[in-house]
Amino acid sequence: LFAAGPAFSADILQVYRDALINDAPYMAARSAAEAGREKMPQGLAGLLPTISASANTVWNQNKYDASNRPDQISKDFNTHAYNVNLTQPLFRWQNIVQYGQAKLQVVQTEANFAQASQDLILRVAQAYFDVLNAQENLKAVRANKQAISQQLEQAKKNFEVGTATITDSQEAQSRFDLASAQEIAAESDLEVKRYALNVV
């Protein structure tokens, strides 16, 4: 699964890159940081001027019917209106305070995100090295089982030729059974550690 040397470094970096994309607590912290950074422009908005504009047009159609004149008089025209308002608050203490609070909230958000980033590094490293440790433990248990297996074979041969007692053979068998149980436990522990790494 893992190699030593430069490949080892590449492995743990790849695990970390994958965790940056897939780890739920880190992604939640990143989203919270992005939302927290928006507090600054929101606080600044209370100090900036606001501008609004409006426009309208009205068509006027007038006809005059003069009884003493045979022709009608028509006066048609169009009226346009434009309006632009610029409002600049000169002094609003609550807006100044709100902007100061927004700055502090952004600092707190960045600190929380930095903590989440450090936490991710620690969790990745812990899970990665737990897998390595479980692999080495399984190797050691299997090597021990192999040695005990050879001792068991030797004890059985010695018992067959009469140079050892049945007790010696049974003790060797019990040590082999214990080593087999330890191997199963080490394999299970490795699977648990691999699952924990996959979760990260």
Side-chain angles (χ1 to χ4, degrees), residues 5 11 20 29 33 44 48 69 91 104 143 147 150 180 186 190:
D11 286 341
L20 286 174
L44 182 61
L48 297 177
R69 295 183 61 184
F91 182 78
L104 296 176
Q150 293 174 355
S180 297
L190 177 58

Side-chain angles (χ1 to χ4, degrees), residues 7-22:
F8 171 82
S9 299
D11 286 341
I12 195 166
L13 286 176
Q14 185 57 48
V15 170
Y16 178 68
R17 288 188 195 103
D18 291 343
L20 286 174
I21 299 169
N22 299 308

Side-chain angles (χ1 to χ4, degrees), residues 108-195:
Q108 182 180 5
T109 297
E110 295 297 343
N112 290 341
F113 182 59
Q115 182 179 1
S117 299
Q118 292 296 320
D119 179 61
L120 178 65
I121 292 170
L122 290 175
R123 287 188 294 113
V124 166
Q126 182 67 48
Y128 187 84
F129 288 113
D130 282 349
V131 170
L132 291 180
N133 186 46
Q135 285 179 330
E136 292 304 314
N137 184 47
L138 180 59
K139 286 181 186 176
V141 167
R142 284 178 174 165
N144 185 46
K145 180 184 174 184
Q146 181 65 30
I148 291 173
S149 175
Q150 293 174 355
Q151 291 174 0
L152 176 60
E153 291 298 321
Q154 186 65 37
K156 286 181 179 179
K157 288 179 182 177
N158 289 343
F159 175 70
E160 289 172 1
V161 296
T163 58
T165 64
I166 187 69
T167 305
D168 294 334
S169 179
Q170 290 174 345
E171 285 179 358
Q173 182 65 50
S174 66
R175 286 194 301 270
F176 180 78
D177 293 341
L178 177 62
S180 297
Q182 289 173 341
E183 181 183 26
I184 293 170
E187 287 172 349
S188 298
D189 183 58
L190 177 58
E191 290 303 314
V192 169
K193 296 299 192 297
R194 282 179 173 161
Y195 176 76

